[in-house]
Amino acid sequence: MADSDRSLQPVAIRPAATVLVVRDGEAGLEVLMQRRHPTMVFASGNHVFPGGRVDDADGEGEAAYVAAAVRECREEAGLTVDAADLVWMAHWITPRGEPRRFDTRFFLAVAPEGQDAFHDGEEAVATEWVRPEHGLAHWKAREWTMMPPTVVCLRQLSEHATGASAL
């Protein structure tokens, strides 16, 4: 089958959830970003927010997206966010023609007090708090690779000086 024929084949759309964890830094609002391992099948080497697919154990419907957001934040970044503190931010579906497609809910949460973020070394190889405008500057300079939803979310966050304002 030719590559052009493959792009016409339907690809299952998997549910996923992502969390933009923010905090008030010395110079203003910061967001937690991670760099995906370069060997990952999806978004290899990209700078992303913690997140991943919804598992069967997460339940069904919209509650499953929230459960996945909490779980993925804990697994990928070591942060325990409360489901009640998640604020819906965006909804993106990977376009047709992509080899992997996701129906992703983006949530916003303030970083839990007294917890340190980390990366697992398997899915993510770097973790850092960045000012949204600095993340965008790295992307514009082609120093970081990011998917369009990540860029749009950073642009939206760059309009805010504090976590309270972003929420």
Side-chain angles (χ1 to χ4, degrees):
M1 181 180 298
D3 285 340
S4 61
D5 294 337
R6 279 192 197 108
S7 68
L8 300 176
Q9 298 298 315
V11 175
I13 300 174
R14 302 173 186 165
T18 296
V19 184
L20 286 74
V21 182
V22 297
R23 71 179 187 187
D24 294 338
E26 290 182 21
L29 180 71
E30 297 176 334
V31 62
L32 182 70
M33 296 199 73
Q34 298 185 309
R35 186 167 45 87
R36 301 256 307 159
H37 197 287
T39 61
M40 296 298 294
V41 174
F42 181 76
S44 63
N46 276 248
H47 278 78
V48 298
F49 309 115
R53 70 180 185 161
V54 174
D55 290 340
D56 291 340
D58 294 323
E60 296 181 6
E62 292 300 315
Y65 288 96
V66 172
V70 170
R71 178 181 49 76
E72 288 287 343
C73 204
R74 184 182 63 252
E75 290 175 0
E76 292 188 2
L79 298 175
T80 303
V81 296
D82 189 325
D85 295 334
L86 292 176
V87 175
W88 184 91
M89 183 173 176
H91 178 195
W92 287 77
I93 299 175
T94 311
R96 287 183 181 94
E98 293 293 327
R100 292 192 180 342
R101 296 189 67 200
F102 296 94
D103 177 346
T104 308
R105 304 304 196 271
F106 286 71
F107 297 95
L108 185 65
V110 172
E113 290 290 327
Q115 296 183 31
D116 293 323
F118 65 83
H119 52 273
D120 62 10
E122 293 179 24
E123 288 188 45
V125 295
T127 296
E128 63 185 299
W129 292 96
V130 299
R131 300 267 324 220
E133 55 272 19
H134 293 164
L136 291 168
H138 285 294
W139 172 73
K140 287 177 186 172
R142 298 179 188 244
E143 297 164 346
W144 288 5
T145 305
M146 292 188 273
M147 294 176 285
T150 306
V151 172
V152 170
C153 287
L154 284 176
R155 285 182 179 148
Q156 290 173 333
L157 284 180
S158 71
E159 299 173 4
H160 301 277
T162 65
S165 172
L167 288 172

